[in-house]
Amino acid sequence: MPWISDGGGGGSWKPSGPWGQKPSSPQQPDFEDLLRRGQERIKSWMPGSGGGFTGGRGILALALIGIGVWLLSGFYTVAPSEVGLNKIFGRYTGKTGPGLNYNLPFPIGEVEKLPVTTRSTINVGFTYRPDMRTSVDLPEESLMLTGDENIADVKFVVIWQIDPVRPEDYAFNIANQKETVKAVAESAMREVIGRSQIQRILTAERKVIEPAVQELMQRILNQYKAGVLVLQVQLQSVDPPEQVIAAFRDVTAAQQDQNRMRNEAEAYANRVVPEARGKAAATIQEAEGYRLQTVAEATGQAARFDKIYDEYKKAPGVTRERMYLETMERVFGGMDKVIVDQDGDRSGVVPYLPLSALTGKATEGAHK
């Protein structure tokens, strides 16, 4: 800063303004002086400056500032789809939810963030090329042995996610989590396929296999404490091996024809059997009616005979006569007849044989 003399010959120096004028009152702060003082104080804090105790305090201040910055670096944020896992010296201490959280920074503390709402897929039996347009078969994964000792080519997809309730199990209990889930999926599918027959796998049991594999996978992963939720198992294709697929198609067609013929036979049986049963029931009812009628008639005749016998015992002659007359009435009631009294006078009656009438009847019978 410039200085000027206020009088002659070695007078005292007084401060003035930058253009040789005296500073006005009140006096303004001297920024250059303040800057110089600050530089000197910083130098006194630095080691080797000869400041003694003042240098030690500087090191302590720098250390405190560094510790403060290090502690502040422990703040972190967790996204809504994530869960944070806090670790101290590599040991799990707790989990944090979405938002701003704190844990001791590295190297003492560490935070691992897991996407617990993200759904992942695993393909078993096939994989996609890098262009994601074409797939490549993996027969070492897809070929499986069935319960009836046939081979089935099974390709399927597993949809899973990290369990949001136990994400620490996923992070710390198993290594190579995706490979573990895929191995469990393949093992569960082989077990279910090994209990089934090839024809049922190819036709009716496809919708039964999916939930069975999902349930078995979840049970195995729970035993591992893997922290994984199996959301769905989707069968992409279930076919016989390529070498014998034509023969299996012929067998399938033959089975369809067998089922069709069986259905037709069952329909015919359902139509004929009721008709036969109806006819049998009608015949039984007719026989039952005839039986009841015959028994009733026989019972009536027996009762009538008993009554006649009772009357016969009372007057045998009269009863015989009456029975004889009733019999003759039934026999000759519908016939042409001439009655001749043999005990009376027969002078006016000439017996003759009507040959012409008999001859005519015999001739008509011959012509017939």
Side-chain angles (χ1 to χ4, degrees):
M1 178 177 291
W3 295 83
I4 60 173
S5 175
D6 192 25
S12 61
W13 295 90
K14 294 185 179 179
S16 64
W19 294 278
Q21 299 177 355
K22 294 181 180 180
S24 61
S25 180
Q27 185 176 2
Q28 298 294 329
D30 192 343
F31 291 102
E32 294 183 359
D33 186 43
L34 292 177
L35 180 62
R36 186 179 64 255
R37 293 177 182 176
Q39 291 176 350
E40 291 176 355
R41 180 168 296 181
I42 292 174
K43 289 180 180 180
S44 66
W45 289 350
M46 297 298 293
S49 60
F53 178 75
T54 304
R57 287 191 303 170
I59 295 175
L60 180 61
L62 289 177
L64 292 176
I65 293 173
I67 292 174
V69 173
W70 176 75
L71 290 175
L72 290 176
S73 65
F75 287 98
Y76 64 95
T77 57
V78 178
S81 61
E82 296 177 336
V83 169
L85 303 180
N86 294 336
K87 292 185 286 185
I88 299 297
F89 294 113
R91 183 176 181 179
Y92 170 72
T93 59
K95 59 185 177 182
T96 56
L100 182 64
N101 300 278
Y102 182 81
N103 190 36
L104 291 176
F106 183 83
I108 296 178
E110 184 181 358
V111 177
E112 183 176 355
K113 301 177 183 179
L114 298 178
V116 293
T117 61
T118 302
R119 296 189 174 187
S120 304
T121 59
I122 292 179
N123 303 321
V124 181
F126 69 101
T127 185
Y128 286 102
R129 296 183 185 275
D131 57 5
M132 298 298 292
R133 295 182 180 179
T134 57
S135 61
V136 179
D137 294 340
L138 301 176
E140 64 275 9
E141 297 179 358
S142 62
L143 295 180
M144 303 181 183
L145 188 65
T146 64
D148 52 357
E149 298 182 357
N150 286 297
I151 297 178
D153 189 0
V154 183
K155 302 179 180 66
F156 64 100
V157 175
V158 177
I159 303 176
W160 62 281
Q161 72 176 37
I162 302 173
D163 188 356
V165 179
R166 303 286 297 177
E168 62 274 14
D169 291 345
Y170 177 84
F172 305 124
N173 288 348
I174 58 174
N176 302 322
Q177 293 91 341
K178 294 183 179 180
E179 289 77 4
T180 301
V181 174
K182 183 174 183 178
V184 170
E186 183 178 349
S187 176
M189 181 62 73
R190 290 186 183 277
E191 180 174 345
V192 174
I193 293 297
R195 297 197 301 259
S196 306
Q197 296 181 357
I198 184 65
Q199 294 301 329
R200 295 181 179 178
I201 295 172
L202 297 177
T203 55
E205 289 191 357
R206 297 188 61 172
K207 295 301 181 181
V208 180
I209 293 174
E210 294 176 350
V213 174
Q214 179 180 352
E215 180 181 358
L216 182 57
M217 280 187 62
Q218 190 64 66
R219 187 166 66 251
I220 295 174
L221 291 171
N222 290 343
Q223 293 175 356
Y224 291 169
K225 294 183 179 181
V228 173
L229 291 180
V230 181
L231 303 179
Q232 190 177 7
V233 175
Q234 297 177 349
L235 284 173
Q236 301 299 304
S237 64
V238 181
D239 298 310
E242 184 178 359
Q243 296 81 354
V244 296
I245 190 170
F248 270 91
R249 288 176 179 173
D250 293 340
V251 172
T252 303
Q255 289 180 344
Q256 292 176 353
D257 293 339
Q258 179 185 6
N259 294 333
R260 177 179 56 81
M261 296 178 66
R262 181 184 294 112
N263 294 334
E264 292 177 355
E266 290 179 354
Y268 176 76
N270 293 333
R271 184 180 69 254
V272 173
V273 170
E275 294 178 357
R277 289 177 178 174
K279 292 180 180 180
T283 303
I284 292 173
Q285 291 179 356
E286 292 177 359
E288 184 67 19
Y290 176 76
R291 182 185 69 83
L292 295 175
Q293 179 182 358
T294 304
V295 171
E297 291 179 356
T299 303
Q301 291 178 1
R304 178 175 174 272
F305 180 80
D306 291 338
K307 290 181 179 180
I308 293 174
Y309 180 70
D310 292 339
E311 295 297 329
Y312 176 78
K313 289 191 296 183
K314 295 178 182 178
V318 176
T319 303
R320 283 196 300 269
E321 184 69 20
R322 183 173 62 80
M323 292 176 63
Y324 173 76
L325 293 176
E326 289 177 357
T327 304
M328 291 297 106
E329 182 181 0
R330 289 196 304 270
V331 173
F332 295 106
M335 298 175 59
D336 295 332
K337 51 190 174 294
V338 177
I339 300 174
V340 178
D341 187 7
Q342 295 180 359
D343 296 334
D345 186 7
R346 295 185 295 174
S347 60
V349 179
V350 179
Y352 74 96
L353 182 65
L355 297 176
S356 60
L358 295 175
T359 305
K361 292 181 179 180
T363 305
E364 291 178 1
H367 286 299
K368 290 182 180 180

